[in-house]
Amino acid sequence: SAHQYGQVYAADECTYTVTGSKQVVTHTGFLAISATDLAAPWDQTVGSLLPAGGTSYTILEEPSEGAFSVKYSFDAAGNDLARAFLETARTSSGADTKDIQVTVTGFAGAGNTVEVVSIDRCQSGTCAGYRASGPGPASDAVCV
């Protein structure tokens, strides 16, 4: 969903107060990289999402039928947040943990890019797990 700055709205368990002209977007789906099998993203492990070297992360959109597709690509800061998020997941849950569903909140960028503010782990239908959040656009939004 997209909202204009100047509004206060709830997204999952966070309330964002924003000012300015960017659109705020939030989406829940599977965290992915280019090597992710779009037919079965739930089989991707934390370890496989942390390849050596840098990588670009995306969040997937569930199809009505067929394979998943990329909903948003992360900006550079979002890629760093995703990596930090996955490092935490590896430490707390193990590298073999699968079904990496998250809620990503950020600002709409060019094309399908999102300037990521926060990444929340979703488990058992709720997104109240651990969170990675960073500065960047977060100066324009407050998550309480």
PDB file of all heavy atoms in Angstrom, residues 68-89:
ATOM      1  N   PHE A  68       6.442 -16.807  -8.280  1.00  0.00           N
ATOM      2  CA  PHE A  68       6.482 -15.508  -7.624  1.00  0.00           C
ATOM      3  C   PHE A  68       7.207 -14.515  -8.539  1.00  0.00           C
ATOM      4  O   PHE A  68       7.914 -14.911  -9.460  1.00  0.00           O
ATOM      5  CB  PHE A  68       7.235 -15.605  -6.292  1.00  0.00           C
ATOM      6  CG  PHE A  68       6.446 -16.245  -5.192  1.00  0.00           C
ATOM      7  CD1 PHE A  68       6.153 -17.604  -5.228  1.00  0.00           C
ATOM      8  CD2 PHE A  68       6.004 -15.501  -4.116  1.00  0.00           C
ATOM      9  CE1 PHE A  68       5.432 -18.200  -4.211  1.00  0.00           C
ATOM     10  CE2 PHE A  68       5.280 -16.089  -3.092  1.00  0.00           C
ATOM     11  CZ  PHE A  68       4.989 -17.445  -3.140  1.00  0.00           C
ATOM     12  N   SER A  69       7.033 -13.230  -8.265  1.00  0.00           N
ATOM     13  CA  SER A  69       7.736 -12.199  -9.036  1.00  0.00           C
ATOM     14  C   SER A  69       8.269 -11.143  -8.075  1.00  0.00           C
ATOM     15  O   SER A  69       7.842 -11.068  -6.916  1.00  0.00           O
ATOM     16  CB  SER A  69       6.798 -11.550 -10.059  1.00  0.00           C
ATOM     17  OG  SER A  69       5.710 -10.927  -9.402  1.00  0.00           O
ATOM     18  N   VAL A  70       9.217 -10.347  -8.545  1.00  0.00           N
ATOM     19  CA  VAL A  70       9.807  -9.293  -7.723  1.00  0.00           C
ATOM     20  C   VAL A  70       8.817  -8.147  -7.581  1.00  0.00           C
ATOM     21  O   VAL A  70       8.344  -7.598  -8.580  1.00  0.00           O
ATOM     22  CB  VAL A  70      11.127  -8.793  -8.341  1.00  0.00           C
ATOM     23  CG1 VAL A  70      11.641  -7.570  -7.587  1.00  0.00           C
ATOM     24  CG2 VAL A  70      12.169  -9.909  -8.347  1.00  0.00           C
ATOM     25  N   LYS A  71       8.497  -7.793  -6.347  1.00  0.00           N
ATOM     26  CA  LYS A  71       7.626  -6.640  -6.081  1.00  0.00           C
ATOM     27  C   LYS A  71       8.469  -5.377  -5.981  1.00  0.00           C
ATOM     28  O   LYS A  71       8.172  -4.372  -6.622  1.00  0.00           O
ATOM     29  CB  LYS A  71       6.847  -6.864  -4.778  1.00  0.00           C
ATOM     30  CG  LYS A  71       6.004  -5.681  -4.335  1.00  0.00           C
ATOM     31  CD  LYS A  71       4.817  -5.463  -5.225  1.00  0.00           C
ATOM     32  CE  LYS A  71       3.916  -4.365  -4.661  1.00  0.00           C
ATOM     33  NZ  LYS A  71       2.761  -4.115  -5.509  1.00  0.00           N
ATOM     34  N   TYR A  72       9.537  -5.413  -5.156  1.00  0.00           N
ATOM     35  CA  TYR A  72      10.429  -4.271  -4.991  1.00  0.00           C
ATOM     36  C   TYR A  72      11.879  -4.739  -4.953  1.00  0.00           C
ATOM     37  O   TYR A  72      12.186  -5.794  -4.394  1.00  0.00           O
ATOM     38  CB  TYR A  72      10.151  -3.516  -3.674  1.00  0.00           C
ATOM     39  CG  TYR A  72       8.808  -2.849  -3.601  1.00  0.00           C
ATOM     40  CD1 TYR A  72       7.840  -3.286  -2.718  1.00  0.00           C
ATOM     41  CD2 TYR A  72       8.505  -1.758  -4.417  1.00  0.00           C
ATOM     42  CE1 TYR A  72       6.606  -2.669  -2.643  1.00  0.00           C
ATOM     43  CE2 TYR A  72       7.277  -1.136  -4.350  1.00  0.00           C
ATOM     44  CZ  TYR A  72       6.324  -1.597  -3.466  1.00  0.00           C
ATOM     45  OH  TYR A  72       5.109  -0.991  -3.400  1.00  0.00           O
ATOM     46  N   SER A  73      12.758  -3.930  -5.503  1.00  0.00           N
ATOM     47  CA  SER A  73      14.202  -4.100  -5.360  1.00  0.00           C
ATOM     48  C   SER A  73      14.665  -3.109  -4.302  1.00  0.00           C
ATOM     49  O   SER A  73      14.136  -2.006  -4.209  1.00  0.00           O
ATOM     50  CB  SER A  73      14.913  -3.797  -6.683  1.00  0.00           C
ATOM     51  OG  SER A  73      14.533  -4.728  -7.663  1.00  0.00           O
ATOM     52  N   PHE A  74      15.656  -3.499  -3.506  1.00  0.00           N
ATOM     53  CA  PHE A  74      16.130  -2.640  -2.426  1.00  0.00           C
ATOM     54  C   PHE A  74      17.188  -1.666  -2.926  1.00  0.00           C
ATOM     55  O   PHE A  74      17.958  -1.991  -3.821  1.00  0.00           O
ATOM     56  CB  PHE A  74      16.738  -3.469  -1.304  1.00  0.00           C
ATOM     57  CG  PHE A  74      15.756  -4.367  -0.582  1.00  0.00           C
ATOM     58  CD1 PHE A  74      14.430  -4.455  -0.954  1.00  0.00           C
ATOM     59  CD2 PHE A  74      16.183  -5.138   0.471  1.00  0.00           C
ATOM     60  CE1 PHE A  74      13.534  -5.287  -0.302  1.00  0.00           C
ATOM     61  CE2 PHE A  74      15.308  -5.977   1.149  1.00  0.00           C
ATOM     62  CZ  PHE A  74      13.983  -6.052   0.769  1.00  0.00           C
ATOM     63  N   ASP A  75      17.236  -0.486  -2.311  1.00  0.00           N
ATOM     64  CA  ASP A  75      18.318   0.462  -2.568  1.00  0.00           C
ATOM     65  C   ASP A  75      19.568  -0.030  -1.838  1.00  0.00           C
ATOM     66  O   ASP A  75      19.540  -1.057  -1.146  1.00  0.00           O
ATOM     67  CB  ASP A  75      17.919   1.875  -2.136  1.00  0.00           C
ATOM     68  CG  ASP A  75      17.735   2.019  -0.631  1.00  0.00           C
ATOM     69  OD1 ASP A  75      17.514   1.002   0.073  1.00  0.00           O
ATOM     70  OD2 ASP A  75      17.803   3.152  -0.142  1.00  0.00           O
ATOM     71  N   ALA A  76      20.692   0.677  -1.981  1.00  0.00           N
ATOM     72  CA  ALA A  76      21.961   0.247  -1.371  1.00  0.00           C
ATOM     73  C   ALA A  76      21.834   0.113   0.147  1.00  0.00           C
ATOM     74  O   ALA A  76      22.291  -0.871   0.738  1.00  0.00           O
ATOM     75  CB  ALA A  76      23.079   1.216  -1.739  1.00  0.00           C
ATOM     76  N   ALA A  77      21.201   1.088   0.796  1.00  0.00           N
ATOM     77  CA  ALA A  77      21.026   1.021   2.253  1.00  0.00           C
ATOM     78  C   ALA A  77      20.136  -0.164   2.622  1.00  0.00           C
ATOM     79  O   ALA A  77      20.356  -0.835   3.632  1.00  0.00           O
ATOM     80  CB  ALA A  77      20.437   2.328   2.778  1.00  0.00           C
ATOM     81  N   GLY A  78      19.137  -0.435   1.803  1.00  0.00           N
ATOM     82  CA  GLY A  78      18.250  -1.579   2.035  1.00  0.00           C
ATOM     83  C   GLY A  78      18.983  -2.902   1.922  1.00  0.00           C
ATOM     84  O   GLY A  78      18.720  -3.842   2.682  1.00  0.00           O
ATOM     85  N   ASN A  79      19.911  -2.988   0.952  1.00  0.00           N
ATOM     86  CA  ASN A  79      20.722  -4.197   0.829  1.00  0.00           C
ATOM     87  C   ASN A  79      21.559  -4.419   2.088  1.00  0.00           C
ATOM     88  O   ASN A  79      21.687  -5.541   2.570  1.00  0.00           O
ATOM     89  CB  ASN A  79      21.621  -4.121  -0.412  1.00  0.00           C
ATOM     90  CG  ASN A  79      20.830  -4.245  -1.694  1.00  0.00           C
ATOM     91  OD1 ASN A  79      19.811  -4.916  -1.750  1.00  0.00           O
ATOM     92  ND2 ASN A  79      21.302  -3.579  -2.730  1.00  0.00           N
ATOM     93  N   ASP A  80      22.112  -3.332   2.637  1.00  0.00           N
ATOM     94  CA  ASP A  80      22.889  -3.425   3.880  1.00  0.00           C
ATOM     95  C   ASP A  80      21.999  -3.867   5.041  1.00  0.00           C
ATOM     96  O   ASP A  80      22.396  -4.692   5.870  1.00  0.00           O
ATOM     97  CB  ASP A  80      23.554  -2.086   4.211  1.00  0.00           C
ATOM     98  CG  ASP A  80      24.665  -1.717   3.237  1.00  0.00           C
ATOM     99  OD1 ASP A  80      25.161  -2.614   2.513  1.00  0.00           O
ATOM    100  OD2 ASP A  80      25.034  -0.530   3.202  1.00  0.00           O
ATOM    101  N   LEU A  81      20.775  -3.308   5.105  1.00  0.00           N
ATOM    102  CA  LEU A  81      19.842  -3.694   6.168  1.00  0.00           C
ATOM    103  C   LEU A  81      19.451  -5.160   6.044  1.00  0.00           C
ATOM    104  O   LEU A  81      19.353  -5.877   7.043  1.00  0.00           O
ATOM    105  CB  LEU A  81      18.578  -2.833   6.117  1.00  0.00           C
ATOM    106  CG  LEU A  81      18.622  -1.488   6.805  1.00  0.00           C
ATOM    107  CD1 LEU A  81      17.289  -0.769   6.622  1.00  0.00           C
ATOM    108  CD2 LEU A  81      18.929  -1.643   8.275  1.00  0.00           C
ATOM    109  N   ALA A  82      19.204  -5.616   4.806  1.00  0.00           N
ATOM    110  CA  ALA A  82      18.828  -7.009   4.588  1.00  0.00           C
ATOM    111  C   ALA A  82      19.948  -7.937   5.050  1.00  0.00           C
ATOM    112  O   ALA A  82      19.691  -8.968   5.688  1.00  0.00           O
ATOM    113  CB  ALA A  82      18.500  -7.250   3.115  1.00  0.00           C
ATOM    114  N   ARG A  83      21.170  -7.569   4.735  1.00  0.00           N
ATOM    115  CA  ARG A  83      22.313  -8.387   5.152  1.00  0.00           C
ATOM    116  C   ARG A  83      22.410  -8.423   6.689  1.00  0.00           C
ATOM    117  O   ARG A  83      22.595  -9.490   7.280  1.00  0.00           O
ATOM    118  CB  ARG A  83      23.596  -7.834   4.546  1.00  0.00           C
ATOM    119  CG  ARG A  83      24.776  -8.765   4.668  1.00  0.00           C
ATOM    120  CD  ARG A  83      25.865  -8.365   3.658  1.00  0.00           C
ATOM    121  NE  ARG A  83      26.843  -9.359   3.400  1.00  0.00           N
ATOM    122  CZ  ARG A  83      26.659 -10.580   2.923  1.00  0.00           C
ATOM    123  NH1 ARG A  83      25.458 -11.013   2.674  1.00  0.00           N
ATOM    124  NH2 ARG A  83      27.657 -11.395   2.693  1.00  0.00           N
ATOM    125  N   ALA A  84      22.245  -7.275   7.346  1.00  0.00           N
ATOM    126  CA  ALA A  84      22.269  -7.220   8.811  1.00  0.00           C
ATOM    127  C   ALA A  84      21.126  -8.044   9.400  1.00  0.00           C
ATOM    128  O   ALA A  84      21.300  -8.780  10.386  1.00  0.00           O
ATOM    129  CB  ALA A  84      22.183  -5.766   9.285  1.00  0.00           C
ATOM    130  N   PHE A  85      19.967  -7.938   8.792  1.00  0.00           N
ATOM    131  CA  PHE A  85      18.796  -8.702   9.217  1.00  0.00           C
ATOM    132  C   PHE A  85      19.088 -10.202   9.136  1.00  0.00           C
ATOM    133  O   PHE A  85      18.813 -10.961  10.059  1.00  0.00           O
ATOM    134  CB  PHE A  85      17.603  -8.332   8.329  1.00  0.00           C
ATOM    135  CG  PHE A  85      16.400  -9.188   8.537  1.00  0.00           C
ATOM    136  CD1 PHE A  85      15.484  -8.875   9.522  1.00  0.00           C
ATOM    137  CD2 PHE A  85      16.185 -10.308   7.759  1.00  0.00           C
ATOM    138  CE1 PHE A  85      14.369  -9.676   9.720  1.00  0.00           C
ATOM    139  CE2 PHE A  85      15.082 -11.112   7.950  1.00  0.00           C
ATOM    140  CZ  PHE A  85      14.168 -10.796   8.935  1.00  0.00           C
ATOM    141  N   LEU A  86      19.672 -10.638   8.013  1.00  0.00           N
ATOM    142  CA  LEU A  86      19.960 -12.055   7.817  1.00  0.00           C
ATOM    143  C   LEU A  86      21.068 -12.553   8.742  1.00  0.00           C
ATOM    144  O   LEU A  86      21.033 -13.709   9.187  1.00  0.00           O
ATOM    145  CB  LEU A  86      20.308 -12.322   6.350  1.00  0.00           C
ATOM    146  CG  LEU A  86      19.105 -12.198   5.408  1.00  0.00           C
ATOM    147  CD1 LEU A  86      19.575 -12.072   3.963  1.00  0.00           C
ATOM    148  CD2 LEU A  86      18.153 -13.371   5.578  1.00  0.00           C
ATOM    149  N   GLU A  87      22.025 -11.689   9.044  1.00  0.00           N
ATOM    150  CA  GLU A  87      23.070 -12.064  10.008  1.00  0.00           C
ATOM    151  C   GLU A  87      22.439 -12.336  11.377  1.00  0.00           C
ATOM    152  O   GLU A  87      22.782 -13.296  12.060  1.00  0.00           O
ATOM    153  CB  GLU A  87      24.131 -10.956  10.124  1.00  0.00           C
ATOM    154  CG  GLU A  87      24.964 -10.749   8.878  1.00  0.00           C
ATOM    155  CD  GLU A  87      26.023 -11.827   8.656  1.00  0.00           C
ATOM    156  OE1 GLU A  87      26.184 -12.712   9.509  1.00  0.00           O
ATOM    157  OE2 GLU A  87      26.685 -11.777   7.601  1.00  0.00           O
ATOM    158  N   THR A  88      21.481 -11.486  11.764  1.00  0.00           N
ATOM    159  CA  THR A  88      20.762 -11.689  13.022  1.00  0.00           C
ATOM    160  C   THR A  88      19.957 -12.980  12.971  1.00  0.00           C
ATOM    161  O   THR A  88      19.939 -13.750  13.935  1.00  0.00           O
ATOM    162  CB  THR A  88      19.825 -10.499  13.308  1.00  0.00           C
ATOM    163  OG1 THR A  88      20.614  -9.316  13.398  1.00  0.00           O
ATOM    164  CG2 THR A  88      19.036 -10.703  14.598  1.00  0.00           C
ATOM    165  N   ALA A  89      19.300 -13.225  11.845  1.00  0.00           N
ATOM    166  CA  ALA A  89      18.508 -14.450  11.690  1.00  0.00           C
ATOM    167  C   ALA A  89      19.398 -15.688  11.782  1.00  0.00           C
ATOM    168  O   ALA A  89      19.025 -16.686  12.399  1.00  0.00           O
ATOM    169  CB  ALA A  89      17.772 -14.432  10.350  1.00  0.00           C
TER     170      ALA A  89
END
